Amino acid sequence: MQLWSLEGNTQKLDGGAMFGNAPRAMWARWIEPDAENRIPLACRCLLVKDLDGRNVLFETGIGAFFEPKLRERYGVVEDRHVLLESLAGAGLSHEDIDAVVLSHLHFDHAGGLLAPWAEGEPPRLLFPNAVFLVGAEHWRRAQAPHPRDRASFIPELAGLLEASGRLELVEGGYSKALGRSVRFHFSSGHTPGLMLSEVGGVVFCADLIPGRPWVHLPITMGYDRAPELLIDEKRAFLEDKLARGVRLFFTHDHACALAELTRDERGRYGTRNEQASLRGERVAGAAG
């Protein structure tokens, strides 16, 4: 099978929010902020071609579903649906995708499921031939969000996914749609039931580890619901991936799609052999 990193719409968000209680003097060395204290963020997706004969897309990024006012509020840079262009660059359209795997349903990860905003038009689901995979615990959260994270969900999306008749809620380590080819891990420090997908020796880190700076155990986001829990989950997650040689795929790192995990003599995690993009890298299945 082949691995492709697909760029979606990008964002500029407040650096302090992205780095939680880490001081600006520290995080500004990792990612330079602009005059408004914002840092650049990717919304990168992973495409796996020929996964048991299927095209599987992991996440869809933020997309272009926001009306102009909200696009500006949330720092979305482009007004077009960049993921659709990236799919075309890999020789596919959204109609060619057989499964879409969503770590969670926050708008910067699931907004790309929707067609671009058009004045007077209701939200419309893309990917007409795909099965949609969502963790069952997170689905329950999306049905009844907390006031703290309600704004992170797209109100119409859950109904559209249900109405498609192609929604699978994943309860355990494997799904009906993808079988043993994709292994799932779960985390609740960022949002309840965050689903982390492992395929072909690569794990999609989603918002457990948005990019290289967050590999460092104490670094969390202000958006995380339970930072101490997230750190404990991240420690166990990284220990497992290091022991098995699983590479890390980053959705929000503006300059790095994939990296190998390291740990130094002090026990501090880091990365090496970073790759800015993947263009059809061939790997063997199945998941560990």
Side-chain angles (χ1 to χ4, degrees):
M1 58 187 174
Q2 299 177 26
L3 304 183
W4 295 71
S5 61
L6 300 184
E7 301 299 324
N9 292 64
T10 59
Q11 286 183 276
K12 291 183 178 181
L13 289 182
D14 183 81
M18 286 300 297
F19 284 104
N21 65 350
R24 187 182 190 278
M26 177 182 290
W27 61 255
R29 299 199 307 265
W30 301 328
I31 306 178
E32 183 178 357
D34 65 13
E36 298 178 54
N37 210 48
R38 302 177 305 174
I39 61 173
L41 295 168
C43 289
R44 184 180 295 109
C45 312
L46 174 64
L47 170 68
V48 182
K49 281 186 170 184
D50 197 22
L51 179 64
D52 300 327
R54 290 168 291 186
N55 297 315
V56 180
L57 183 64
F58 294 83
E59 307 242 309
T60 62
I62 197 167
F65 77 97
F66 274 138
E67 62 178 276
K69 181 180 178 180
L70 291 178
R71 189 175 73 238
E72 181 178 357
R73 177 186 299 176
Y74 290 109
V76 183
V77 176
E78 306 87 359
D79 61 0
R80 66 194 191 281
H81 201 320
V82 176
L83 175 60
L84 300 184
E85 298 174 2
S86 297
L87 277 168
L92 299 175
S93 73
H94 69 101
E95 292 97 338
D96 298 316
I97 299 301
D98 300 298
V100 178
V101 181
L102 299 153
S103 69
H104 60 306
L105 294 176
H106 290 173
F107 61 69
D108 57 326
H109 296 258
L113 289 172
L114 300 174
W117 176 83
E119 189 169 5
E121 295 294 324
R124 178 172 60 85
L125 202 60
L126 299 175
F127 304 95
N129 301 308
V131 175
F132 303 106
L133 284 77
V134 181
E137 181 183 357
H138 183 71
W139 179 259
R140 292 188 286 272
R141 174 68 166 214
Q143 299 291 311
H146 189 275
R148 189 174 186 272
D149 67 354
R150 182 174 290 116
S152 297
F153 294 97
I154 304 168
E156 302 88 352
L157 183 58
L160 290 170
L161 290 172
E162 278 194 303
S164 75
R166 292 175 278 117
L167 174 66
E168 179 183 346
L169 301 181
V170 181
E171 292 278 5
Y174 300 94
S175 67
K176 295 177 182 177
L178 301 177
R180 307 292 290 188
S181 296
V182 179
R183 177 183 178 184
F184 298 109
H185 312 266
F186 294 90
S187 162
S188 290
H190 176 68
T191 187
L194 181 78
M195 189 165 72
L196 306 156
S197 304
E198 182 181 335
V199 58
V202 170
V203 65
F204 193 105
C205 295
D207 279 347
L208 177 66
I209 308 174
R212 289 166 295 173
W214 294 269
V215 169
H216 187 37
L217 285 178
I219 302 302
T220 61
M221 295 188 290
Y223 303 108
D224 296 329
R225 65 183 289 269
E228 291 184 1
L229 172 62
L230 185 139
I231 290 169
D232 293 340
E233 292 173 334
K234 181 165 44 169
R235 179 186 289 112
F237 180 85
L238 291 176
E239 286 176 355
D240 173 65
K241 304 306 172 286
L242 182 67
R244 296 192 292 114
V246 177
R247 294 181 292 171
L248 308 181
F249 187 94
F250 302 122
T251 185
H252 287 314
D253 194 311
H254 72 290
C256 177
L258 189 74
E260 294 178 10
L261 182 62
T262 65
R263 185 169 57 195
D264 65 20
E265 64 280 357
R266 298 173 297 165
R268 178 168 173 157
Y269 289 100
T271 59
R272 66 183 179 193
N273 295 332
E274 292 93 349
Q275 295 176 238
S277 64
L278 295 169
R279 301 288 297 175
E281 177 179 320
R282 295 186 179 275
V283 298

